[in-house]
Amino acid sequence: FVKNLHEGIDNKQLYDTFSLFGNILSCKVVCDRETGKSKGYGYVHYETHEAAKNAIEKLDGMLIDGKEVQVGVFMRRDNRPGVNDFTNCFIKNLPLDWTEDKLKEEFSKFGEIVSASISMGVRKKKPAKKEKKAAPAAPDDEESKEEASNAEGDSTTKEGEDKPAQDAADTASEEKTESKEESSDSKKEEDAPPSEESREQEQEQSPPTPSSLGFGFVNFSTHEAAVAAIEAMNDKEITCTDPDSGETITRTLFVGRAQKKSERQQELRAKYEAEKMDRIAKFQGVNLYVKNLDDSVSDDTLREEFSTMGTITSARVMRDLKSGVSRGFGFVCYSTPEDATRAVNEMNGKLIAGKPIFVALAQRRDVRRAQLEAQHNQARGGAGGNPPGQPGMMRGPMAGPMGG
């Protein structure tokens, strides 16, 4: 294994450098798939162990194109020393009002902290419900009386009659005062503080400020401190205030070893496969597959028909997710293999809702496919005569022997 290579070194240059110490079976510089640039490391596979040992002794620490390369025996990730001596912890479900100082304060009791950080970003908030606007208030009785009296006063002047000069002067002065009041009102509106709706619009237009995303990392100086933090803080309940709703809530912390995305996916995949195998082993020999069911058969009908054979733990008819119509098959699970065997022997071919059902032990899809292929190959091998298309036999247009 060769690392710290210059990005300009390709497969040929790596081969020319390492071929001086023995016969090379394969040689490769690892490159990025998208850019095609070197990742700075590669592999050289020698034919003999002695050649690899000589290359390590001569080239380890040597300057190649201005960079000091490191050469050593390749080891799998699981076998590398110190792979389990982690110091970096991943914490999620953090209270949203915690700061990095608060994070250090809570975890510093387990040992010296090298660094602590909380991931910041823009959280997606649920849209708040808008309050209904109140209906406009009805006019008071006194105001309506005044308006009615003004209307009566105006109606006393007949059409075609001129108003007195005093009335004209009064109307002129009233128009001036109204214009002054309108101008003063417009100034007041300009000087008035912005309403809540305008503030919400300004907040939507302005870029949102980053806040805590609820997870972070704490890197300790020793492995023992990281293990102690995981044992003490994982699954710990913390009471805090939700900054969005203002309600008091309880959060359960998750604290574990910080992993790369590939390592986490590999671990989850292995966990899923283990759970799958445990589930298969649990239901091995007790789960039955039932097909050719009528559309009218329900879960209760299936359980009732098979309950005479033994204790049933579950019975289900498989249905279409959208329409809910039966797919014509289902599963019946017994508590013991003896009850399941009895049900296969006595229920297979029985009429349910006027249709003969097929009952057999449930199998995994790959196992069932392999079994069917084996049966098919055995049937073809046992059949007499030459199979169609066998060499040495001419066949006519309709697959019949020619000249018969």
Side-chain angles (χ1 to χ4, degrees):
F1 175 69
V2 188
K3 68 177 183 178
N4 202 31
L5 289 171
H6 190 273
E7 61 180 9
I9 295 178
D10 56 8
N11 294 337
K12 184 178 184 304
Q13 290 177 306
L14 190 67
Y15 180 88
D16 293 341
T17 303
F18 282 81
S19 61
L20 301 174
F21 304 95
N23 187 24
I24 295 177
L25 299 178
S26 63
C27 177
K28 180 181 180 181
V29 175
V30 179
C31 299
D32 187 86
R33 293 181 178 180
E34 296 180 357
T35 62
K37 294 183 179 180
S38 170
K39 289 188 175 182
Y41 65 92
Y43 303 94
V44 178
H45 187 192
Y46 283 99
E47 185 178 8
T48 61
H49 177 71
E50 291 76 12
K53 186 178 180 180
N54 292 333
I56 293 173
E57 292 176 355
K58 299 293 183 181
L59 296 178
D60 186 30
M62 180 180 176
L63 290 176
I64 300 178
D65 285 358
K67 296 189 71 173
E68 183 179 344
V69 298
Q70 298 179 17
V71 185
V73 178
F74 171 74
M75 299 179 65
R76 294 186 177 274
R77 189 184 300 274
D78 299 337
N79 299 331
R80 295 174 190 174
V83 68
N84 295 322
D85 298 339
F86 63 91
T87 58
N88 195 16
C89 295
F90 169 69
I91 305 102
K92 71 175 181 178
N93 210 24
L94 286 169
L96 299 178
D97 56 352
W98 274 26
T99 61
E100 292 183 355
D101 294 335
K102 177 67 175 177
L103 186 64
K104 288 182 180 179
E105 179 184 348
E106 292 291 333
F107 282 83
S108 59
K109 62 184 76 172
F110 306 105
E112 182 183 355
I113 293 177
V114 177
S115 63
S117 63
I118 294 178
S119 296
M120 308 293 285
V122 179
R123 299 195 309 269
K124 294 182 179 180
K125 297 182 180 180
K126 296 181 179 179
K129 295 182 179 179
K130 295 183 179 180
E131 297 180 356
K132 294 182 179 180
K133 295 182 180 180
D140 296 337
D141 294 337
E142 294 180 358
E143 293 179 356
S144 59
K145 289 178 181 178
E146 290 177 1
E147 290 176 357
S149 62
N150 292 335
E152 289 177 358
D154 293 342
S155 63
T156 55
T157 56
K158 297 180 181 180
E159 292 181 3
E161 291 185 354
D162 295 333
K163 292 183 179 181
Q166 184 65 30
D167 295 341
D170 293 340
T171 54
S173 62
E174 287 178 0
E175 289 177 356
K176 289 181 180 179
T177 54
E178 287 178 358
S179 61
K180 288 181 180 179
E181 289 177 356
E182 289 178 357
S183 61
S184 62
D185 291 341
S186 61
K187 289 182 180 179
K188 287 181 181 179
E189 290 178 357
E190 292 176 357
D191 298 336
S195 61
E196 293 183 359
E197 294 181 356
S198 61
R199 288 176 182 173
E200 291 179 357
Q201 292 178 356
E202 290 178 359
Q203 289 178 357
E204 291 178 357
Q205 292 176 359
S206 60
T209 56
S211 57
S212 171
L213 295 178
F215 68 92
F217 299 89
V218 175
N219 189 14
F220 291 93
S221 59
T222 61
H223 172 66
E224 292 75 16
V227 173
I230 292 175
E231 292 177 352
M233 298 296 289
N234 188 34
D235 293 333
K236 182 178 180 180
E237 294 184 351
I238 296 179
T239 304
C240 58
T241 303
D242 189 0
D244 297 332
S245 61
E247 299 177 353
T248 302
I249 58 175
T250 301
R251 283 178 172 264
T252 304
L253 294 181
F254 170 82
V255 184
R257 180 173 72 92
Q259 297 175 301
K260 293 181 180 179
K261 186 177 181 180
S262 57
E263 294 177 351
R264 189 166 64 253
Q265 290 178 344
Q266 184 178 1
E267 183 177 339
L268 292 174
R269 195 179 299 112
K271 183 179 178 181
Y272 171 76
E273 289 295 333
E275 292 177 353
K276 181 180 178 181
M277 297 305 296
D278 291 342
R279 189 168 58 252
I280 292 173
K282 180 180 178 181
F283 296 108
Q284 187 70 31
V286 296
N287 196 22
L288 300 183
Y289 169 68
V290 186
K291 72 175 182 178
N292 200 32
L293 293 173
D294 189 74
D295 293 345
S296 62
V297 176
S298 62
D299 295 349
D300 296 336
T301 306
L302 192 64
R303 178 184 288 271
E304 183 180 353
E305 292 289 341
F306 279 81
S307 61
T308 57
M309 300 294 111
T311 304
I312 295 176
T313 58
S314 64
R316 185 180 180 186
V317 176
M318 305 306 293
R319 299 182 178 278
D320 187 82
L321 294 176
K322 295 181 179 180
S323 62
V325 179
S326 171
R327 298 174 64 183
F329 69 94
F331 298 90
V332 178
C333 187
Y334 285 93
S335 59
T336 62
E338 292 77 14
D339 294 342
T341 304
R342 188 184 307 111
V344 171
N345 295 331
E346 298 187 18
M347 296 296 292
N348 186 34
K350 183 179 178 181
L351 291 176
I352 296 180
K355 295 180 68 175
I357 62 172
F358 170 82
V359 184
L361 285 173
Q363 294 176 308
R364 291 172 56 186
R365 183 175 297 177
D366 52 351
V367 175
R368 187 169 66 253
R369 184 183 293 111
Q371 186 176 0
L372 292 174
E373 289 178 357
Q375 293 177 358
H376 180 67
N377 293 333
Q378 185 178 2
R380 290 183 61 185
N386 294 324
Q390 181 176 350
M393 183 175 181
M394 298 292 291
R395 310 197 69 83
M398 300 301 293
M402 293 181 65

